Amino acid sequence: MGFVRFVSAALLSSAAVGAAQAGGLERGGYNVDLLFNSAPFAAEATGTYVMPQRKLDNVVDMDPSDGTPAGPSQGVKDTESYFSPRLGLKVGIGEQVDCLVDYSEPWGVHTNPGANWAGANQNIETKVNSHSFGGTCSYKMQAGKGQFRVLGGVFYQKLEGFKERQVFFPTLAGNGIGRLDLEGSGVGWRVGAAYEIPEIAFRASLVYNSRVKLDDVTGTLDLSRIPGAVKPPLAGQITPVYGSAEMPEVVELKLQSGIAPNWLAFGSVKWVNWSILQSIPFCPESTRGSPCTTTSNRATSLDLLYRDGWTVSGGLGHKFNEQWSAAASLTWDRGTSKGFGHQADSWTLGGGVAYTPNENVEMRLSGALGILTSGESGAIVGDDGRVYGNDVSYTFGNDLVGALSASMKVRW
């Protein structure tokens, strides 16, 4: 049916959609599709620019003791646009082994409502970036009409970020803003299996990516702009802090198949264990060796309180001729917020086109437009029995999110 050349073009549209609407801290996520390329050597570079437009309304400061300014409470823009890159190189070793090395930025977040809104005591700016370096290999064997493949690999991840919020009233000693800076790293692994029938572009793959344990997250808590005599014991100084966290495990099932001459159907289901990220405590370095929990030795914490994420996507691809093909997809993502935060469900429509001037080069462009659904955020009780979100409450309506993605692949 001649689908093989434009399979990647069809899947590109769903990749742009995934980056546009994913919950938790997901940006590019995990992707090893280049491993299935039939060429002995293949290199790919992809860049996706995502533009979320989440705005917060009816903001109420429920804790005026921390000096929150009497700022805007309607139409507060919370999210920032971001760029997500991916680089990969695949090498075939003989007839049965393929290996992939890749770089990506799977996790991240950037919210920046500023210092002058009514909820500055909860967040002024939060930013997390990640870097992931991976190596994955597969072994394939003939099985019936197609090929059965098993795969496995490891990846190293580094995360870094900061959070600022209003901690106390501005005084002569400073503006009362506190800042937490953090960084950590860890190693994860993946295993998976796939079955392919290249003649009809059929592929079914199931891949598991492990948790990444960040055993030693270190950084500083800067409360130097807060009078030490007013809010002891850490105010008025910069305190080294430490903690631990885990990035979630991911299971993804992908399916695709030719369904008619020059037509391809594809879909995927993904589960991400975001519920492991609740409230992450950070404690003074001076307390190392003692318990560091949300109720013991805690200096501050990153309060996320996520639930597990589910993403379901499906679409169609069509090959017009040897040079041009296109695809469209629809994706639903279950929001990871559960009464605290603004990550509600989303629906996203994506489309992509691919141009293949010759058998060695492929250029692709795709886009996505989606709806971030409405909801509200307020006080909830966490798994540790503490109350979270009792400093600020707000609502949010249906907002737009868009994404643009470009990619170039070279095979030889």
Side-chain angles (χ1 to χ4, degrees), residues 218-234:
T218 59
T220 58
L221 176 62
D222 184 354
L223 300 180
S224 60
R225 292 167 287 184
I226 301 158
V230 176
K231 280 202 169 186
L234 300 180

Side-chain angles (χ1 to χ4, degrees), residues 277-301:
L277 295 177
Q278 295 297 304
S279 179
I280 306 171
F282 296 96
C283 301
E285 283 282 1
S286 60
T287 66
R288 256 193 204 270
S290 300
C292 181
T293 68
T294 57
T295 57
S296 178
N297 294 316
R298 169 185 171 274
T300 188
S301 60

Side-chain angles (χ1 to χ4, degrees), residues 205-228:
S205 64
L206 180 65
V207 178
Y208 170 82
N209 296 275
S210 75
R211 298 185 185 186
V212 178
K213 193 171 184 181
L214 310 174
D215 285 321
D216 193 17
V217 182
T218 59
T220 58
L221 176 62
D222 184 354
L223 300 180
S224 60
R225 292 167 287 184
I226 301 158

Side-chain angles (χ1 to χ4, degrees), residues 68-149:
T68 305
S73 61
Q74 298 290 129
V76 178
K77 187 177 184 302
D78 186 70
T79 50
E80 292 281 352
S81 300
Y82 62 87
F83 179 75
S84 179
R86 183 184 303 277
L87 300 171
L89 175 64
K90 176 259 181 182
V91 177
I93 305 173
E95 295 294 324
Q96 296 174 301
V97 177
D98 296 291
C99 288
L100 169 70
V101 292
D102 69 294
Y103 167 80
S104 63
E105 298 178 6
W107 318 123
V109 68
H110 191 188
T111 59
N112 187 20
N116 296 316
W117 73 299
N121 57 338
Q122 187 178 91
N123 183 39
I124 291 176
E125 183 176 11
T126 300
K127 188 174 185 179
V128 176
N129 295 318
S130 67
H131 305 277
S132 181
F133 303 87
T136 305
C137 288
S138 70
Y139 178 84
K140 58 187 176 183
M141 64 199 80
Q142 198 66 29
K145 293 183 179 180
Q147 297 172 332
F148 179 73
R149 185 191 300 252

Side-chain angles (χ1 to χ4, degrees), residues 51-350:
M51 300 157 282
Q53 303 295 318
R54 177 63 86 193
K55 294 182 179 179
L56 310 180
D57 297 314
N58 303 311
V59 183
V60 177
D61 175 15
M62 298 187 293
D63 184 11
S65 66
D66 47 24
T68 305
S73 61
Q74 298 290 129
V76 178
K77 187 177 184 302
D78 186 70
T79 50
E80 292 281 352
S81 300
Y82 62 87
F83 179 75
S84 179
R86 183 184 303 277
L87 300 171
L89 175 64
K90 176 259 181 182
V91 177
I93 305 173
E95 295 294 324
Q96 296 174 301
V97 177
D98 296 291
C99 288
L100 169 70
V101 292
D102 69 294
Y103 167 80
S104 63
E105 298 178 6
W107 318 123
V109 68
H110 191 188
T111 59
N112 187 20
N116 296 316
W117 73 299
N121 57 338
Q122 187 178 91
N123 183 39
I124 291 176
E125 183 176 11
T126 300
K127 188 174 185 179
V128 176
N129 295 318
S130 67
H131 305 277
S132 181
F133 303 87
T136 305
C137 288
S138 70
Y139 178 84
K140 58 187 176 183
M141 64 199 80
Q142 198 66 29
K145 293 183 179 180
Q147 297 172 332
F148 179 73
R149 185 191 300 252
V150 292
L151 63 90
V154 296
F155 45 89
Y156 167 80
Q157 290 181 4
K158 181 178 180 180
L159 281 83
E160 57 194 10
F162 69 87
K163 178 173 183 174
E164 292 185 343
R165 72 179 187 89
Q166 194 75 36
V167 178
F168 196 69
F169 292 93
T171 67
L172 294 177
N175 57 17
I177 294 175
R179 178 182 173 105
L180 175 66
D181 285 275
L182 298 168
E183 65 177 13
S185 61
V187 175
W189 52 272
R190 66 170 54 98
V191 295
Y195 185 70
E196 305 161 89
I197 306 176
E199 290 76 14
I200 58 171
F202 175 84
R203 183 195 305 152
S205 64
L206 180 65
V207 178
Y208 170 82
N209 296 275
S210 75
R211 298 185 185 186
V212 178
K213 193 171 184 181
L214 310 174
D215 285 321
D216 193 17
V217 182
T218 59
T220 58
L221 176 62
D222 184 354
L223 300 180
S224 60
R225 292 167 287 184
I226 301 158
V230 176
K231 280 202 169 186
L234 300 180
Q237 60 183 309
I238 299 176
T239 303
V241 295
Y242 77 99
S244 63
E246 287 183 303
M247 299 311 296
E249 56 196 329
V250 180
V251 180
E252 186 166 20
L253 171 67
K254 291 184 177 181
L255 297 170
Q256 65 178 52
S257 180
I259 55 174
N262 295 323
W263 285 94
L264 176 83
F266 58 93
S268 64
V269 178
K270 179 169 65 176
W271 169 77
V272 186
N273 187 22
W274 286 116
S275 61
I276 64 172
L277 295 177
Q278 295 297 304
S279 179
I280 306 171
F282 296 96
C283 301
E285 283 282 1
S286 60
T287 66
R288 256 193 204 270
S290 300
C292 181
T293 68
T294 57
T295 57
S296 178
N297 294 316
R298 169 185 171 274
T300 188
S301 60
L302 284 179
D303 302 328
L304 301 174
L305 286 86
Y306 290 148
R307 65 176 178 174
D308 288 352
W310 285 91
T311 305
V312 181
S313 180
L316 292 173
H318 180 61
K319 178 182 177 181
F320 299 104
N321 52 49
E322 291 301 317
Q323 285 77 43
W324 291 96
S325 56
S329 62
L330 178 66
T331 297
W332 168 77
D333 184 83
R334 188 181 83 156
T336 54
S337 296
K338 50 182 182 180
F340 173 80
H342 54 68
Q343 292 192 2
D345 291 9
S346 66
W347 291 88
T348 317
L349 181 66

Side-chain angles (χ1 to χ4, degrees), residues 372-394:
L372 308 174
T373 60
S374 60
E376 61 183 10
S377 176
I380 66 171
V381 179
D383 295 341
D384 57 359
R386 295 181 64 221
V387 178
Y388 296 86
N390 58 351
D391 47 359
V392 177
S393 67
Y394 54 80

